[in-house]
Amino acid sequence: MRCFRLTFLFLLLALPSTCFSWPAKVVAVTDGDTIIVLHNGRHKEIRLYGIDCPEKEQRYGRQARALTAALVAGRNVDIKQKDTDQYKRIVGLVKVDGQNLSELIVQNGYAWVYTKHCKEKFCSDWKKSERVARRQKKGMWSDSVVVPPWEWRAAQREGRQEQEAAPVIIIGGNKPVSAGSSGKPTLIDAVISFCQGNKSVSAGSSGKQYRCDGRTYCSQMTSCDEAKFFLKNCPGTKMDGDNDGVPCERQWCR
C-alpha cells in the first residue's frame, strides 16, 4: 500500500501543471484578452486562450477592455494553464461563475477566435458563436469595417494609424447567472452595469436619431444636423477648425 501511495504521488507530481485549474483573484485588466491575477500572494499575467481582442489603441480596444473588466475585475476566477507565450505570460482558460471568459467575450462580439492558436475541440463551438455575433451585429460587428488585431499590429509596424471608436452598447453572454443569496454582484450584474454606463442613440435638432460611432471628420457626415450632433456630443471630433462652434462649414453647414 505504501509503495502504491508513493507511486501515485510521484505520478501526480510528474503531471504538468496545465492539467489542473487553480483559483485566483483578478486585480487588473490590461486589455480585452489580458488580465493580471493574484495567486498565492504573487501577481501573474494571464493571456486568455484562443481569442484575440482589439488592441487598446485600436478601434474597439477600449470597449473590449471595458467588457472584460465588467466581467471579471475584482472577482475570483479559476485558471487552467495551457501554455506560456513569448512574453512569458501564462496562456490559460479562465472561468468566472463557471463560464469561460474567452467564450463570453466572443459571444458579446469583442473578439476573434484566434484560429492559429485555438486548437481544442471547443474552438469550433467558439467559431460558431463568433459567426452568430457577426450575423447579429453584436459589439464591434455593428461596424461595417472591423480590422483584425493582427492586421492592425502589422499596420502599426509599418507606421500606419487607425482611430479609436467611441463606446457602443453590448449585451450579456448566453448563460447569465442570477444573483445569489449572498447579494454579491454576479456576472450578469456586471454586464448590465457596463451596458448602462455606455452611450445610446440620441436625437439631433431635426429629431433624427444619431449615435456616437467613432466618426470624427466632416467627410464622414451626411448632413449639417448630423455634424452638429457629433460636434456637441461625441469625443475626438475634428469638424470645427476655426473653433466657432459651427462644424463642416465648407461641406455641410454653409
CSV table of all heavy atoms in Angstrom, one decimal, residues 186-219:
chain,number,residue,atom,x,y,z
A,186,THR,N,-23.1,39.5,-9.5
A,186,THR,CA,-22.8,38.3,-10.3
A,186,THR,C,-22.4,38.7,-11.7
A,186,THR,O,-22.3,39.9,-12.0
A,186,THR,CB,-24.1,37.4,-10.4
A,186,THR,OG1,-25.1,38.2,-11.0
A,186,THR,CG2,-24.6,37.0,-9.0
A,187,LEU,N,-22.2,37.7,-12.5
A,187,LEU,CA,-21.7,38.0,-13.9
A,187,LEU,C,-22.7,38.9,-14.6
A,187,LEU,O,-22.3,39.9,-15.3
A,187,LEU,CB,-21.5,36.7,-14.6
A,187,LEU,CG,-21.0,36.7,-16.0
A,187,LEU,CD1,-19.7,37.4,-16.1
A,187,LEU,CD2,-21.0,35.3,-16.6
A,188,ILE,N,-24.0,38.6,-14.6
A,188,ILE,CA,-24.9,39.4,-15.4
A,188,ILE,C,-25.1,40.8,-14.8
A,188,ILE,O,-25.3,41.7,-15.5
A,188,ILE,CB,-26.3,38.6,-15.4
A,188,ILE,CG1,-27.2,39.3,-16.4
A,188,ILE,CG2,-27.0,38.6,-14.1
A,188,ILE,CD1,-26.7,39.3,-17.8
A,189,ASP,N,-24.9,40.9,-13.4
A,189,ASP,CA,-25.0,42.2,-12.8
A,189,ASP,C,-23.9,43.1,-13.4
A,189,ASP,O,-24.1,44.3,-13.7
A,189,ASP,CB,-24.8,42.2,-11.3
A,189,ASP,CG,-25.9,41.4,-10.6
A,189,ASP,OD1,-27.1,41.5,-11.1
A,189,ASP,OD2,-25.7,40.8,-9.6
A,190,ALA,N,-22.7,42.5,-13.5
A,190,ALA,CA,-21.5,43.3,-14.1
A,190,ALA,C,-21.8,43.8,-15.5
A,190,ALA,O,-21.5,44.9,-15.9
A,190,ALA,CB,-20.3,42.5,-14.0
A,191,VAL,N,-22.3,42.9,-16.3
A,191,VAL,CA,-22.6,43.2,-17.7
A,191,VAL,C,-23.7,44.3,-17.8
A,191,VAL,O,-23.6,45.2,-18.6
A,191,VAL,CB,-23.0,42.0,-18.5
A,191,VAL,CG1,-23.3,42.3,-19.9
A,191,VAL,CG2,-21.8,41.0,-18.5
A,192,ILE,N,-24.8,44.2,-17.0
A,192,ILE,CA,-25.8,45.2,-17.0
A,192,ILE,C,-25.3,46.5,-16.6
A,192,ILE,O,-25.6,47.5,-17.2
A,192,ILE,CB,-27.0,44.7,-16.1
A,192,ILE,CG1,-27.7,43.5,-16.7
A,192,ILE,CG2,-27.9,45.9,-15.9
A,192,ILE,CD1,-28.7,42.9,-15.8
A,193,SER,N,-24.4,46.5,-15.6
A,193,SER,CA,-23.8,47.8,-15.1
A,193,SER,C,-23.0,48.4,-16.2
A,193,SER,O,-23.0,49.6,-16.5
A,193,SER,CB,-23.0,47.5,-13.9
A,193,SER,OG,-22.3,48.7,-13.5
A,194,PHE,N,-22.2,47.6,-16.9
A,194,PHE,CA,-21.4,48.1,-18.0
A,194,PHE,C,-22.2,48.6,-19.2
A,194,PHE,O,-22.0,49.7,-19.7
A,194,PHE,CB,-20.5,46.9,-18.6
A,194,PHE,CG,-19.7,47.3,-19.8
A,194,PHE,CD1,-18.7,48.2,-19.7
A,194,PHE,CD2,-20.0,46.8,-21.0
A,194,PHE,CE1,-17.9,48.5,-20.8
A,194,PHE,CE2,-19.3,47.1,-22.1
A,194,PHE,CZ,-18.2,48.0,-22.0
A,195,CYS,N,-23.3,48.0,-19.5
A,195,CYS,CA,-24.2,48.4,-20.6
A,195,CYS,C,-24.8,49.8,-20.2
A,195,CYS,O,-24.9,50.7,-21.0
A,195,CYS,CB,-25.3,47.4,-20.8
A,195,CYS,SG,-24.8,45.9,-21.6
A,196,GLN,N,-25.2,49.9,-18.9
A,196,GLN,CA,-25.9,51.2,-18.5
A,196,GLN,C,-24.9,52.3,-18.5
A,196,GLN,O,-25.3,53.5,-18.6
A,196,GLN,CB,-26.5,51.0,-17.1
A,196,GLN,CG,-27.7,50.1,-17.1
A,196,GLN,CD,-28.2,49.8,-15.7
A,196,GLN,OE1,-27.5,50.0,-14.7
A,196,GLN,NE2,-29.4,49.3,-15.6
A,197,GLY,N,-23.6,52.0,-18.5
A,197,GLY,CA,-22.6,53.1,-18.5
A,197,GLY,C,-22.2,53.6,-19.8
A,197,GLY,O,-21.5,54.5,-20.0
A,198,ASN,N,-22.7,53.0,-20.9
A,198,ASN,CA,-22.4,53.3,-22.3
A,198,ASN,C,-23.4,54.3,-22.9
A,198,ASN,O,-24.6,54.3,-22.5
A,198,ASN,CB,-22.2,52.1,-23.1
A,198,ASN,CG,-20.9,51.5,-22.9
A,198,ASN,OD1,-19.9,51.9,-23.4
A,198,ASN,ND2,-20.8,50.4,-22.1
A,199,LYS,N,-23.0,55.0,-23.9
A,199,LYS,CA,-23.9,55.9,-24.6
A,199,LYS,C,-24.9,55.2,-25.6
A,199,LYS,O,-24.5,54.3,-26.3
A,199,LYS,CB,-23.1,56.9,-25.4
A,199,LYS,CG,-22.3,57.8,-24.6
A,199,LYS,CD,-21.6,58.9,-25.4
A,199,LYS,CE,-20.7,59.8,-24.6
A,199,LYS,NZ,-20.0,60.8,-25.4
A,200,SER,N,-26.1,55.6,-25.6
A,200,SER,CA,-27.1,55.1,-26.5
A,200,SER,C,-27.4,56.1,-27.6
A,200,SER,O,-26.8,57.1,-27.7
A,200,SER,CB,-28.3,54.6,-25.8
A,200,SER,OG,-28.9,55.8,-25.1
A,201,VAL,N,-28.4,55.8,-28.4
A,201,VAL,CA,-28.7,56.7,-29.5
A,201,VAL,C,-29.4,57.9,-29.0
A,201,VAL,O,-30.2,57.9,-28.1
A,201,VAL,CB,-29.6,55.9,-30.5
A,201,VAL,CG1,-30.1,56.9,-31.6
A,201,VAL,CG2,-28.9,54.7,-31.1
A,202,SER,N,-29.1,59.1,-29.5
A,202,SER,CA,-29.7,60.4,-29.2
A,202,SER,C,-30.2,61.1,-30.4
A,202,SER,O,-29.8,60.8,-31.5
A,202,SER,CB,-28.7,61.2,-28.4
A,202,SER,OG,-28.3,60.6,-27.2
A,203,ALA,N,-31.1,62.1,-30.2
A,203,ALA,CA,-31.6,62.7,-31.4
A,203,ALA,C,-30.9,64.1,-31.6
A,203,ALA,O,-30.5,64.8,-30.7
A,203,ALA,CB,-33.1,63.0,-31.1
A,204,GLY,N,-30.8,64.4,-32.9
A,204,GLY,CA,-30.3,65.7,-33.3
A,204,GLY,C,-31.4,66.8,-33.2
A,204,GLY,O,-32.5,66.5,-32.9
A,205,SER,N,-31.1,68.0,-33.7
A,205,SER,CA,-32.1,69.1,-33.6
A,205,SER,C,-33.2,68.8,-34.6
A,205,SER,O,-34.3,69.3,-34.3
A,205,SER,CB,-31.4,70.4,-34.0
A,205,SER,OG,-30.8,70.3,-35.3
A,206,SER,N,-33.0,68.0,-35.6
A,206,SER,CA,-34.1,67.7,-36.5
A,206,SER,C,-35.0,66.6,-36.1
A,206,SER,O,-36.0,66.3,-36.7
A,206,SER,CB,-33.5,67.3,-37.9
A,206,SER,OG,-32.8,66.1,-37.8
A,207,GLY,N,-34.6,66.0,-35.0
A,207,GLY,CA,-35.4,64.8,-34.5
A,207,GLY,C,-34.9,63.5,-35.0
A,207,GLY,O,-35.3,62.4,-34.5
A,208,LYS,N,-34.0,63.5,-35.9
A,208,LYS,CA,-33.4,62.2,-36.4
A,208,LYS,C,-32.5,61.7,-35.4
A,208,LYS,O,-31.8,62.4,-34.7
A,208,LYS,CB,-32.6,62.5,-37.7
A,208,LYS,CG,-32.2,61.2,-38.4
A,208,LYS,CD,-31.5,61.5,-39.7
A,208,LYS,CE,-31.0,60.3,-40.4
A,208,LYS,NZ,-30.4,60.5,-41.7
A,209,GLN,N,-32.4,60.3,-35.3
A,209,GLN,CA,-31.6,59.6,-34.3
A,209,GLN,C,-30.2,59.5,-34.8
A,209,GLN,O,-29.9,59.0,-35.9
A,209,GLN,CB,-32.2,58.3,-34.0
A,209,GLN,CG,-33.6,58.3,-33.4
A,209,GLN,CD,-33.6,58.9,-32.0
A,209,GLN,OE1,-32.9,58.4,-31.1
A,209,GLN,NE2,-34.5,59.9,-31.8
A,210,TYR,N,-29.2,59.9,-33.9
A,210,TYR,CA,-27.8,59.7,-34.2
A,210,TYR,C,-27.2,59.0,-33.0
A,210,TYR,O,-27.7,59.0,-31.9
A,210,TYR,CB,-27.1,61.1,-34.4
A,210,TYR,CG,-27.7,61.9,-35.6
A,210,TYR,CD1,-28.3,63.1,-35.3
A,210,TYR,CD2,-27.6,61.4,-36.9
A,210,TYR,CE1,-28.8,63.9,-36.4
A,210,TYR,CE2,-28.1,62.1,-37.9
A,210,TYR,CZ,-28.7,63.4,-37.7
A,210,TYR,OH,-29.3,64.1,-38.7
A,211,ARG,N,-26.0,58.5,-33.3
A,211,ARG,CA,-25.2,57.8,-32.2
A,211,ARG,C,-23.7,58.0,-32.4
A,211,ARG,O,-23.2,58.0,-33.6
A,211,ARG,CB,-25.5,56.3,-32.2
A,211,ARG,CG,-24.7,55.6,-31.1
A,211,ARG,CD,-25.0,54.1,-31.2
A,211,ARG,NE,-24.4,53.5,-32.3
A,211,ARG,CZ,-24.5,52.2,-32.7
A,211,ARG,NH1,-25.3,51.4,-32.0
A,211,ARG,NH2,-23.9,51.7,-33.8
A,212,CYS,N,-23.0,58.3,-31.4
A,212,CYS,CA,-21.5,58.4,-31.5
A,212,CYS,C,-21.0,57.0,-31.8
A,212,CYS,O,-21.1,56.1,-31.1
A,212,CYS,CB,-20.9,58.9,-30.1
A,212,CYS,SG,-21.4,60.5,-29.6
A,213,ASP,N,-20.4,57.0,-33.0
A,213,ASP,CA,-19.9,55.7,-33.5
A,213,ASP,C,-18.5,55.7,-34.0
A,213,ASP,O,-18.1,54.8,-34.7
A,213,ASP,CB,-20.9,55.2,-34.7
A,213,ASP,CG,-20.9,56.2,-35.8
A,213,ASP,OD1,-20.1,57.1,-35.8
A,213,ASP,OD2,-21.8,56.0,-36.7
A,214,GLY,N,-17.7,56.7,-33.6
A,214,GLY,CA,-16.3,56.7,-33.9
A,214,GLY,C,-16.0,57.6,-35.1
A,214,GLY,O,-14.8,57.9,-35.3
A,215,ARG,N,-17.0,58.1,-35.8
A,215,ARG,CA,-16.7,59.0,-36.9
A,215,ARG,C,-16.2,60.4,-36.4
A,215,ARG,O,-16.8,60.8,-35.4
A,215,ARG,CB,-17.9,59.2,-37.8
A,215,ARG,CG,-18.2,57.9,-38.7
A,215,ARG,CD,-19.4,58.1,-39.5
A,215,ARG,NE,-20.6,58.2,-38.7
A,215,ARG,CZ,-21.8,58.7,-39.1
A,215,ARG,NH1,-21.9,59.3,-40.3
A,215,ARG,NH2,-22.8,58.7,-38.3
A,216,THR,N,-15.3,61.0,-37.0
A,216,THR,CA,-14.7,62.3,-36.5
A,216,THR,C,-14.6,63.4,-37.5
A,216,THR,O,-14.4,64.5,-37.1
A,216,THR,CB,-13.4,62.0,-35.8
A,216,THR,OG1,-12.5,61.4,-36.8
A,216,THR,CG2,-13.5,61.1,-34.6
A,217,TYR,N,-14.7,63.0,-38.8
A,217,TYR,CA,-14.4,64.0,-39.8
A,217,TYR,C,-15.7,64.4,-40.6
A,217,TYR,O,-16.6,63.7,-40.7
A,217,TYR,CB,-13.4,63.5,-40.8
A,217,TYR,CG,-12.0,63.3,-40.2
A,217,TYR,CD1,-11.6,62.0,-39.8
A,217,TYR,CD2,-11.2,64.3,-40.0
A,217,TYR,CE1,-10.4,61.8,-39.3
A,217,TYR,CE2,-9.9,64.1,-39.5
A,217,TYR,CZ,-9.5,62.9,-39.1
A,217,TYR,OH,-8.3,62.7,-38.5
A,218,CYS,N,-15.6,65.6,-41.2
A,218,CYS,CA,-16.8,66.1,-42.0
A,218,CYS,C,-17.1,65.2,-43.2
A,218,CYS,O,-18.2,65.1,-43.6
A,218,CYS,CB,-16.4,67.5,-42.5
A,218,CYS,SG,-16.4,68.8,-41.2
A,219,SER,N,-16.1,64.6,-43.8
A,219,SER,CA,-16.3,63.8,-44.9
A,219,SER,C,-17.1,62.5,-44.6
A,219,SER,O,-17.6,61.8,-45.4
A,219,SER,CB,-14.9,63.3,-45.5
A,219,SER,OG,-14.2,62.6,-44.5
